[in-house]
Amino acid sequence: MPNPLLAPWTTPFALPPFAEIRDEQFGPAIEAGLEEARRAIAAIADNPEAPSFANTIEALELAEETLDRVAGVFYNLAGADSNAAREALQRELAPKMSAFSSEIVNNRSLFRRIETLWQGREALDLSPEQERVLMLYRRMFVRSGAELEGAEAEKLTAVKARLAVLGTTFSQNLLADERDWTMALAEEDLEGLPDFVIETARAAGAERGAGGPVVTLNRSLIVPFLQFSPRRELRRRAYEAWVARGANGNASDNRAVAAEILALRSERAQLLGYPDFASYKLETEMAKRPEAVRELLLRVWAPAKARAEADRAVLEAMMHRDGINGDLEPWDWRYYSEKRRAAEFDLDEAALKPYLPLERMIEAAFDCARRLFGLEFRPLDVPLYHPDVRAWEVTRGGRHMAVFLGDYFARSSKRSGAWCSTMRGQRKLGGEVRPIVVNVCNFAKGEPALLSWDDARTLFHEFGHALHQMLSDVTYGYISGTSVARDFVELPSQLYEHWLEVPEVLEAHARHWQTGAPMPPEMRERLLAASTYDQGFATVEFISSAMVDLAFHEGAPPADPMAKQAEVLEGLGMPKAIRMRHATPHFAHVFSGDGYSAGYYSYMWSEVMDADAFAAFEEAGGAFDPEMARKLERHVLSAGGSEEAEALYTAFRGRMPGVEALLRGRGLLLDAA
């Protein structure tokens, strides 16, 4: 029987033939893709003709088509719907894929062809996009060790292979801890919980065969439990389990894994001639230097900490009035903060959620994209990788733009968090290829699924990433979509969150799931008035994580990352009642791969721009100003990595922003004066 992963995909829009794919077919298909790619790379490297952009760079762009196609499916499933077979194959593939990557960059003949093109680029009559792609390929080869020889080249290859294995191990350990822990709730433990939390806990218990409601470590369940449960001891147990993920002294403990990753990253950077990994990593980002990152974070830290400490005093006084003496603890913060929010803004999340049904919020995200960019979304009835996943064709003026997949609900086979990925990226080389874009979230499933305000923001955030992929309009896949500097990649996603807060969007789409009635204007006004509520807490837990990440990668690697984490937090004067958003043993952004290593700050770096970018719409004529939307698409969303991020943002806005827009957006500006 032919392997459907290797046969032509005759499905609508050339979607993966999910109904025909079996787990045992992925390994052979990836091996076949690797062999095909090796042959193609060898043909390029050994080509007797003089190197040209077409026979070298463009040939490289197309050399891994089969591998990219199969891997795009496999790695999406490994994150969103894992099982034992997929986890085993992922562990097996980690060193193989790393070795293949090293084979390419260590191919001296291939690098000589690229170097020849680079040195003679002025005579090649390249377009600006081609010159950019050539520069990026050469830079990638150099930063991957192409100029190293002998023992140093072999050492770097070994280091990268080991890092690939460790990143996979870290991810799978974290998933195991999240999947295995539950806290059973007796009926009396449900007292004080809103119906939506009780329903989610019962559904989680049913999924795990627990015979009753449970709390799990999925954010969509544990956070509302911490917000609403009046049982302090249960909150403590749940919170401590949540923050202990990856640090339980069991087979999935990540502390030694993190230490080895940091040591190997440092070794990698020094082999390439950099003093430390942060210097290596930040060289190609907008920040450029660790000092610039630290300056931004500390500029925001002082007002954020001051706000958080003032809020702590208020919450602690509320706790004392409840007859609980002592200090406010981390498992108390969300509970009393929710009570304070309800009192000060008359906002009850249980009353708010019925106006934020998932279906309406999807429609809201789609409608904003229609009004801004002319996109239309048509549901597709096609086989997908899980019954919960949904698909839409995205068009504009009748032209096919993308296929969008939404995988919204939490399940034990899915890693935590939310993300956007592609099963196929956009390009024009070799014929027009439009993307298959995937948004993955972990919302609580219900009938209907009702979102919290944070959930709704997450949906808009990930859809902003999806737009970056859908609207991509470049020739070369190497620079398409989100292939931009890490501290620029969050701009479209964080910017899109602003449209959720536009009153006319809420008026049109925030409607009661039963009656269809719009959210009452006074509720909407209170919701928007509370937009900066508890931002001291949110900012402190984020910046502390970003500062620890930076410290891990600057200077010598710590032998004991947990001791280094404690040292950084002590130096910051971390408030006792707040913990890092991501403690080291479950800091997947940093340790599951290199993506956000020495780069977790990028969310805040991008926020400086997103606050300023949305202000451009408001200054120009409103949230749906057509000219600003055209400029945003042209200079940001469709441009991919075709220019440096600073140039793209400046082309859109006319200048780079200062930190004041971020401070104002978080309600911290007055404190920073």
Side-chain angles (χ1 to χ4, degrees), residues 195-267:
D195 288 345
F196 75 88
V197 180
I198 296 172
E199 291 168 6
T200 303
R202 292 194 191 281
E207 183 194 8
R208 288 162 174 76
V214 301
V215 176
T216 71
L217 297 182
N218 188 281
R219 192 176 188 90
S220 64
L221 176 50
I222 196 167
V223 168
F225 181 80
L226 293 170
Q227 287 176 306
F228 293 105
S229 176
R231 296 180 178 265
R232 194 181 192 215
E233 177 56 24
L234 293 183
R235 293 200 311 267
R236 185 194 66 78
R237 284 174 54 196
Y239 183 86
E240 292 290 20
W242 192 33
V243 298
R245 289 169 293 160
N248 288 302
N250 54 14
S252 54
D253 196 297
N254 270 330
R255 286 172 287 190
V257 178
E260 188 177 356
I261 287 173
L262 293 174
L264 290 171
R265 284 178 179 164
S266 178
E267 186 174 5

Side-chain angles (χ1 to χ4, degrees), residues 23 74 95 108 122 197 208 212 215 229 238 261 275 277 312 336 340 345 386 407 412 416 428 435 489 506 592 659 671:
D23 282 341
F74 174 73
R108 309 300 297 176
E122 293 182 2
V197 180
R208 288 162 174 76
V215 176
S229 176
I261 287 173
F277 187 81
R312 179 205 55 77
Y336 284 100
R340 181 187 179 193
F345 296 96
H386 190 278
D407 183 355
S412 58
S416 61
K428 296 177 184 176
V489 77
L506 288 174
S592 289
V659 74
D671 303 87

